[in-house]
C-alpha cells in the first residue's frame, strides 16, 4: 500500500468505517434486486472531500449480532462502470447501521452507490458528489437547512430542493447539503395526548421505551430511545430522498441531546441534572445515523462506537472558561468531536463548530432577573444588563456591579463572580480562530448552528401611556446564541478585522426564521463596524416565534401592534414582528394604524438594526449559497407553513424567493449586500 492508503486506513479506523478503494471501472457482478423495505431508513452519504466520501445504510435483522453487506460505487446509475466495491458489517451493537469510507475517487464527480445483503436483497440506489480540488476555480454551490420537526410538520422544503436541483444545469447543482442541527427533536408529543399545537397536527414519530415526561412532552432516557427517534425521523420520505441525492455535512444543535441542556447536563423543562450517560448515548446515536468525519474517542473499531463508560455525577468544579472539570463530563462531551473543517475548491473553506458541548452555562437564566422587566413587555430584556451578565467577572475592566438596577428594582448580579460567557469553549475557539486566520480560500464560511445576528427592539420609543415606562434603552428579544455572547462575538469579529480577513460569512440555523445581515462586534450606540456577512435559514418545518404569537398573543394586549397588525377583514394578522426587529416600534405603530408599509418604513429607527437587511420570523424552507471568485450569492427559498405533506413533485407553492448578493470586499472595506426579490412577496421582511 502507498503511504496515502495507509493514512486512509488509519482515518477510516478513527471514524469507525469500513474501507473501499477505487480502481478500474468494471460492470457490476453483484446479484442485486431492490428491497427497499429491508432498508427502511434508506441510504446516505456524508462529508465528501475531493477523493473520498462516507456511505451509509441500515439493514436490520431480527436475529443474530453481526452480518455482512456488499457495497458498490459506480460512475453511472446502471452500475455498468463500478469503480469500488467492498464488504461491510452491520451489527446489533451499531443498531444495524454501517459506514463505508470510499477512497481513490475523482474530484467534482457524481457517483452512484448501493448496498446488498448476502441473498442479493438490495437498498435503493444513492447518489453522491465529491468535492473539487483545492485549486479548482469553478463556483461552489450548497444548501443549508435546519430544524426539521416532523412531530408537527412535514418536509416539503426537501421536495422543492430536489425538484429544482434535478432541473438545474450540472454546473448549478448543489454539491452538498449543510445541516445545521435539530436533525431530530428528542422531545416528542404523542398524538393521542397532544391533540394540536397551534393549528398543527401532531404526527406519530416514535415511542420511547424508557422516557421522561415534562407535561405533554416525552424524551429519551436511554440509547434505545435516541435510536428510536432517528428511525422515526428517517421514516419521512422526503428526508430519505434528500439523503439519497446529496452528501450531507452535519453538526448537532440542542435537540440531538437535550432541549435546554449544555455540556453533559440535561435540562428539559425542569431543573438541570447530570446527564453524562445520555450525552454519550446521544453522541452514539448521532454517529450511527449520520455519516460524518467526526472523530469518536473510544477505540479504533471499524464498525461500532465503543462508548466510554461514564457515570452521572454532579459537576461541582468549573475551569476558568466554565467547562465542567469533572472526568465523566469531559469523557462524555469528548466521546464524539464535531468541529471540523472542509476545503471545496479555491473558493470555500467551511469551518463547522459545536455550540453546545463546550459552552458555559447561560448567564440569563436566574429567575430573579425577571424582576428587571415588567411582564407586559413579552420577554424583552435590557440590552445593557445582558452585556453585564455576559461579561461576568470581567465586565467593566474586572469591576462588575454587585447589583443590577432598573426602574427602581434591584437584584443581585448572579454573574458577578462567573467567567465571561463562551459558546465555543477555549479549545474549540482556539482551533476555530487559527483555521480562520490561516485560510487562503476566497470565502471563509462559518457553519454555526446558533444565530449570530442580534434580535433587539427599541421600547424606549413607545408613546407615553401605551405601557409602563421601559426601564432602559434597547431591549433584546432572544438570548442563548452568539447574538448575546457579546465578548466572544467581539473577539471573533476583532480577529477578522485585525487580520485583514475578507470573504468571512456565517450561515446559521435554530431560530426558525430567515435573516440576512452583517457580522459586527457592536451595534449603536457602540461602533457599528461590519467585518463579514451573516445569514440564518428558516426552519424546514418547526414552528417559529411569529406563529406562536399568532396563536397566543391576546388581541387586547397593549403591545400586540408590535408583533401583529389586525387588518380589517383579513384571515390572518400582518407580521409586524419583522418590522419591529428591523425598523422599530414607531414603524410598527404606524403600520398598525395605516397599513402603509412605505409610511411605516419612513419612521425606521436607524440606530436599531443597521446590521439587518432582511428578517422573516415566520419563514420556512431552505437557503442556497453560490460562491465564486468575486461574489457570494445567498438565496432564501420560502415555502408556506408546512403543516401537511404536499404530494406535488415540486413540494407545493412558494411564498417568495429572495436573493442577497455581495461582492468580495478588500481588507478595510465594509461588505455590502444587494437584495433582489425573484418571486413572491416577502412583505414586511425588508
Amino acid at each position: 500500500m502507498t503511504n496515502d492508503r495507509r493514512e486512509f486506513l488509519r482515518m477510516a479506523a478513527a471514524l469507525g468505517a469500513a474501507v473501499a478503494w477505487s480502481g478500474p471501472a468494471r460492470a457490476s457482478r453483484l446479484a442485486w434486486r431492490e428491497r427497499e423495505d429491508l432498508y427502511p431508513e434508506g441510504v446516505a452519504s456524508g462529508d465528501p472531500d475531493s477523493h473520498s466520501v462516507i456511505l451509509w445504510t441500515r439493514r436490520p435483522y431480527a436475529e443474530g449480532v453481526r452480518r455482512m453487506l456488499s457495497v458498490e460505487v459506480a460512475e453511472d446509475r446502471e452500475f455498468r462502470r463500478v469503480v469500488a466495491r467492498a464488504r461491510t458489517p452491520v451489527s446489533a451493537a451499531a443498531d444495524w447501521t454501517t459506514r463505508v469510507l470510499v477512497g481513490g475517487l475523482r474530484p467534482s464527480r457524481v457517483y452512484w452507490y448501493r448496498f446488498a445483503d448476502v441473498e442479493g436483497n438490495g437498498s435503493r440506489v444513492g447518489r453522491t458528489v465529491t468535492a473539487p480540488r483545492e485549486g479548482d476555480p469553478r463556483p461552489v454551490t450548497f444548501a443549508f437547512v435546519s430544524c426539521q420537526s416532523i412531530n408537527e410538520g412535514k418536509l416539503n422544503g426537501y421536495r422543492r430542493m430536489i425538484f429544482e436541483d434535478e432541473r438545474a444545469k450540472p454546473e448549478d447543482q448543489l454539491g452538498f447539503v449543510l445541516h445545521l442541527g435539530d436533525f431530530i427533536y428528542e422531545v416528542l408529543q404523542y398524538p393521542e395526548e397532544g391533540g394540536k399545537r397551534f393549528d398543527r397536527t401532531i404526527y406519530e414519530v416514535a415511542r420511547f421505551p424508557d422516557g421522561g415526561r415534562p407535561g405533554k412532552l416525552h424524551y429519551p432516557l436511554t440509547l434505545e430511545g435516541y435510536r428510536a427517534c432517528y428511525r422515526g425521523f428517517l421514516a419521512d420520505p422526503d428526508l430519505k430522498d434528500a439523503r439519497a441525492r446529496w452528501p450531507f455535512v452535519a453538526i448537532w444543535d440542542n435537540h440531538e441531546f437535550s432541549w435546554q441542556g449544555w455540556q453533559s447536563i440535561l435540562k428539559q423543562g425542569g431543573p438541570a441534572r447530570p446527564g453524562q450517560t445520555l450525552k454519550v448515548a446521544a453522541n452514539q446515536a448521532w454517529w450511527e445515523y449520520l455519516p460524518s468525519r467526526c472523530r469518536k474517542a473510544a477505540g479504533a473499531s471499524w464498525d461500532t462506537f465503543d462508548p466510554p463508560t461514564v457515570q452521572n455525577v454532579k459537576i461541582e468544579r468549573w475551569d476558568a472558561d466554565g467547562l465542567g472539570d469533572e472526568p465523566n463530563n469531559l469523557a462524555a462531551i469528548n466521546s464524539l468531536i464535531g468541529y471540523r473543517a472542509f476545503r471545496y475548491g479555491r473558493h470555500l473553506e467551511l469551518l463547522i463548530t459545536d455550540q453546545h458541548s463546550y459552552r458555559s452555562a447561560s448567564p440569563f437564566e436566574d429567575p430573579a432577573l425577571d424582576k428587571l422587566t415588567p411582564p407586559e413587555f413579552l420577554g424583552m430584556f435590557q440590552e445593557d444588563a445582558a452585556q453585564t451578565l455576559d461579561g461576568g467577572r470581567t465586565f467593566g475592566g474586572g469591576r462588575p456591579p454587585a447589583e443590577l438596577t432598573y426602574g427602581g428594582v434591584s437584584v443581585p448580579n448572579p454573574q458577578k463572580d462567573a467567567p465571561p460567557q463562551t459558546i465555543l469553549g477555549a479549545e474549540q475557539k482556539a482551533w476555530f480562530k487559527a483555521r480562520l486566520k490561516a485560510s487562503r480560500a476566497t470565502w471563509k464560511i462559518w457553519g454555526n448552528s446558533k444565530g449570530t445576528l442580534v434580535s433587539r427592539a427599541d421600547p424606549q420609543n413607545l408613546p407615553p401611556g401605551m405601557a409602563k415606562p421601559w426601564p432602559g434603552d434597547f431591549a433584546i428579544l432572544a438570548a442563548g446564541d452568539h447574538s448575546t455572547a457579546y465578548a466572544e462575538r467581539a473577539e471573533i469579529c476583532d480577529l477578522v478585522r485585525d487580520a485583514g480577513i475578507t470573504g468571512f460569512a456565517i450561515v446559521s440555523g435554530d431560530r426558525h426564521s430567515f435573516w440576512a445581515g452583517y457580522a459586527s462586534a457592536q451595534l449603536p450606540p457602540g461602533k457599528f463596524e461590519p467585518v463579514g456577512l451573516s445569514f440564518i435559514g428558516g426552519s424546514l418545518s418547526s414552528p417559529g416565534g411569529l406563529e406562536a404569537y399568532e396563536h397566543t398573543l391576546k388581541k387586547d394586549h397593549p403591545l400586540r401592534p408590535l408583533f401583529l397588525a389586525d387588518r380589517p377583514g383579513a384571515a390572518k394578522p400582518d407580521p409586524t414582528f419583522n418590522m419591529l426587529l428591523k425598523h422599530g416600534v414607531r414603524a410598527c405603530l404606524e403600520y398598525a394604524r395605516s397599513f402603509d408599509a412605505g409610511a411605516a418604513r419612513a419612521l425606521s429607527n436607524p440606530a436599531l438594526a443597521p446590521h439587518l437587511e432582511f428578517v422573516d420570523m415566520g419563514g420556512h424552507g431552505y437557503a442556497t449559497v453560490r460562491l465564486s471568485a468575486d461574489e457570494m450569492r445567498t438565496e432564501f427559498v420560502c415555502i408556506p407553513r408546512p403543516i401537511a405533506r404536499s404530494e406535488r413533485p415540486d413540494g407545493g407553492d412558494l411564498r417568495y424567493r429572495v436573493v442577497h448578493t455581495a461582492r468580495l470586499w478588500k481588507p478595510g472595506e465594509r461588505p455590502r449586500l444587494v437584495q433582489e426579490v425573484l418571486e413572491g412577496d416577502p412583505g414586511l421582511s425588508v
Side-chain angles (χ1 to χ4, degrees):
M1 292 191 302
T2 67
N3 288 334
D4 285 346
R5 291 185 69 174
R6 288 194 184 97
E7 178 60 31
F8 184 79
L9 289 171
R10 284 194 291 270
M11 180 194 312
L15 301 176
V19 169
W21 192 264
S22 178
R26 297 186 178 91
S28 173
R29 298 190 298 270
L30 187 65
W32 175 89
R33 58 185 178 278
E34 187 168 346
R35 283 291 307 275
E36 198 168 335
D37 59 310
L38 298 180
Y39 300 79
E41 290 75 35
V43 297
S45 65
D47 284 12
D49 66 16
S50 58
H51 296 289
S52 64
V53 68
I54 301 174
L55 307 181
W56 176 95
T57 195
R58 179 174 183 266
R59 168 60 168 101
Y61 286 86
E63 299 177 350
V65 295
R66 196 170 188 267
R67 302 291 181 91
M68 297 299 293
L69 302 179
S70 296
V71 61
E72 288 186 322
V73 182
E75 295 176 335
D76 64 309
R77 191 180 184 118
E78 292 74 31
F79 289 81
R80 298 189 184 100
R81 295 184 55 79
V82 175
V83 296
R85 52 181 60 84
R87 300 269 286 165
T88 183
V90 292
S91 66
D95 205 23
W96 301 105
T97 63
T98 192
R99 286 140 299 282
V100 183
L101 183 62
V102 185
L105 302 175
R106 296 182 180 181
S108 299
R109 181 66 67 95
V110 172
Y111 288 95
W112 306 88
Y113 62 95
R114 63 188 182 185
F115 295 85
D117 62 21
V118 293
E119 288 83 24
N121 300 310
S123 70
R124 68 183 293 173
V125 173
R127 172 187 178 273
T128 193
V129 189
T130 52
R133 282 193 183 94
E134 185 170 318
D136 193 323
R138 290 175 293 182
V140 175
T141 304
F142 66 93
F144 65 94
V145 300
S146 64
C147 304
Q148 54 191 38
S149 173
I150 61 169
N151 198 199
E152 50 197 346
K154 295 298 181 180
L155 301 180
N156 297 328
Y158 280 132
R159 185 160 296 281
R160 163 66 61 173
M161 194 189 306
I162 294 168
F163 181 85
E164 295 192 358
D165 198 60
E166 288 177 339
R167 288 155 180 78
K169 297 177 182 177
E171 63 269 24
D172 294 330
Q173 290 179 336
L174 301 174
F176 62 96
V177 174
L178 176 61
H179 200 295
L180 291 166
D182 293 344
F183 189 94
I184 63 166
Y185 278 67
E186 95 296 7
V187 284
L188 297 176
Q189 287 183 253
Y190 295 165
E192 72 275 13
E193 296 175 353
K196 286 183 175 287
R197 183 183 181 195
F198 308 145
D199 57 352
R200 292 171 176 258
T201 300
I202 301 300
Y203 296 100
E204 178 74 22
V205 176
R207 302 281 166 146
F208 297 131
D210 182 10
R213 182 174 182 177
K216 293 181 179 179
L217 298 175
H218 300 256
Y219 60 88
L221 291 173
T222 62
L223 171 61
E224 288 306 314
Y226 284 105
R227 286 170 166 173
C229 208
Y230 280 97
R231 293 195 295 267
F233 272 71
L234 285 170
D236 183 273
D238 297 317
L239 176 55
K240 285 195 290 188
D241 287 350
R243 297 220 308 170
R245 178 164 180 82
W246 301 288
F248 273 50
V249 178
I251 188 64
W252 50 82
D253 194 40
N254 56 325
H255 282 291
E256 285 87 348
F257 166 50
S258 174
W259 170 24
Q260 299 163 320
W262 71 98
Q263 296 184 31
S264 67
I265 297 169
L266 282 170
K267 193 165 187 264
Q268 274 130 331
R273 63 194 190 280
Q276 288 92 334
T277 58
L278 277 192
K279 177 63 173 176
V280 172
N283 281 352
Q284 177 169 344
W286 193 95
W287 176 86
E288 289 172 346
Y289 280 88
L290 280 85
S292 79
R293 295 181 194 263
C294 293
R295 292 166 288 145
K296 64 186 185 74
S301 168
W302 295 87
D303 57 331
T304 57
F305 185 72
D306 303 320
T309 299
V310 297
Q311 295 179 328
N312 295 327
V313 177
K314 184 178 180 181
I315 302 171
E316 298 181 315
R317 296 188 309 167
W318 310 85
D319 70 12
D321 297 289
L323 183 65
D325 188 14
E326 192 282 314
N328 293 277
N329 181 54
L330 297 175
I333 62 179
N334 288 314
S335 62
L336 189 65
I337 307 298
Y339 62 89
R340 58 207 194 276
F342 296 90
R343 185 67 185 265
Y344 288 83
R346 182 179 299 173
H347 301 309
L348 171 60
E349 177 120 18
L350 177 62
L351 306 175
I352 299 173
T353 56
D354 172 356
Q355 276 62 243
H356 291 275
S357 298
Y358 313 104
R359 68 156 300 150
S360 56
S362 172
F364 307 112
E365 294 189 353
D366 191 306
L369 297 173
D370 294 340
K371 299 176 183 178
L372 297 178
T373 302
E376 61 262 36
F377 282 98
L378 300 171
M380 296 184 192
F381 189 77
Q382 294 86 358
E383 185 177 52
D384 50 356
Q387 292 168 344
T388 302
L389 293 164
D390 171 71
R393 58 177 173 248
T394 66
F395 184 79
R399 295 180 177 86
E403 292 185 328
L404 301 175
T405 302
Y406 288 91
V409 176
S410 296
V411 300
N413 178 359
Q415 297 299 114
K416 180 174 66 70
D417 300 314
Q421 181 184 196
T422 176
I423 305 290
L424 297 177
E427 184 175 330
Q428 180 180 218
K429 183 163 54 179
W431 168 87
F432 173 74
K433 291 168 66 176
R435 287 297 300 245
L436 179 60
K437 193 172 180 179
S439 177
R440 297 296 175 262
T442 308
W443 298 94
K444 281 69 69 173
I445 306 296
W446 181 11
N448 179 333
S449 71
K450 313 294 287 186
T452 63
L453 289 166
V454 178
S455 170
R456 70 175 188 170
D458 57 350
Q460 68 270 30
N461 290 330
L462 285 166
M466 188 171 182
K468 290 182 179 180
W470 173 252
D473 292 319
F474 289 110
I476 60 166
L477 285 91
D481 56 23
H482 269 107
S483 68
T484 50
Y486 300 97
E488 187 162 82
R489 193 176 79 239
E491 186 179 349
I492 293 167
C493 288
D494 289 350
L495 168 70
V496 174
R497 180 199 61 205
D498 296 343
I501 296 171
T502 64
F504 173 64
I506 308 164
V507 294
S508 306
D510 184 63
R511 290 197 191 170
H512 308 178
S513 47
F514 283 110
W515 302 60
Y518 305 101
S520 177
Q522 300 181 56
L523 296 180
K527 185 178 182 181
F528 176 57
E529 189 177 23
V531 298
L533 308 172
S534 190
F535 303 95
I536 301 172
S539 74
L540 281 161
S541 58
S542 307
L546 180 63
E547 186 175 352
Y549 280 126
E550 286 177 7
H551 288 87
T552 62
L553 186 54
K554 294 180 179 179
K555 290 201 172 185
D556 61 355
H557 193 288
L559 298 189
R560 182 177 171 90
L562 305 186
F563 300 89
L564 302 166
D566 297 297
R567 185 188 294 268
K572 291 176 59 177
D574 290 353
T576 46
F577 195 178
N578 300 334
M579 187 164 274
L580 172 68
L581 297 171
K582 190 172 189 303
H583 298 289
V585 300
R586 289 173 177 150
C588 293
L589 296 177
E590 172 60 30
Y591 185 83
R593 184 191 67 82
S594 67
F595 295 98
D596 184 334
R601 292 188 185 109
L603 297 175
S604 180
N605 180 353
L608 171 66
H611 63 305
L612 292 183
E613 296 287 355
F614 185 95
V615 58
D616 178 7
M617 294 299 292
H620 298 281
Y622 60 93
T624 64
V625 175
R626 181 178 175 86
L627 304 168
S628 64
D630 56 5
E631 183 182 81
M632 178 174 183
R633 183 183 190 276
T634 305
E635 184 174 296
F636 293 160
V637 182
C638 184
I639 63 174
R641 194 169 291 164
I643 295 173
R645 185 173 188 258
S646 170
E647 295 298 334
R648 282 170 39 178
D650 64 359
D653 295 335
L654 286 182
R655 276 187 58 210
Y656 59 76
R657 188 191 305 269
V658 175
V659 65
H660 293 87
T661 57
R663 304 291 293 179
L664 183 66
W665 58 96
K666 296 178 181 178
E669 291 182 341
R670 286 189 175 188
R672 303 286 182 185
L673 283 170
V674 177
Q675 183 182 110
E676 183 181 3
V677 179
L678 302 180
E679 291 183 57
D681 181 7
L684 302 182
S685 297
V686 297

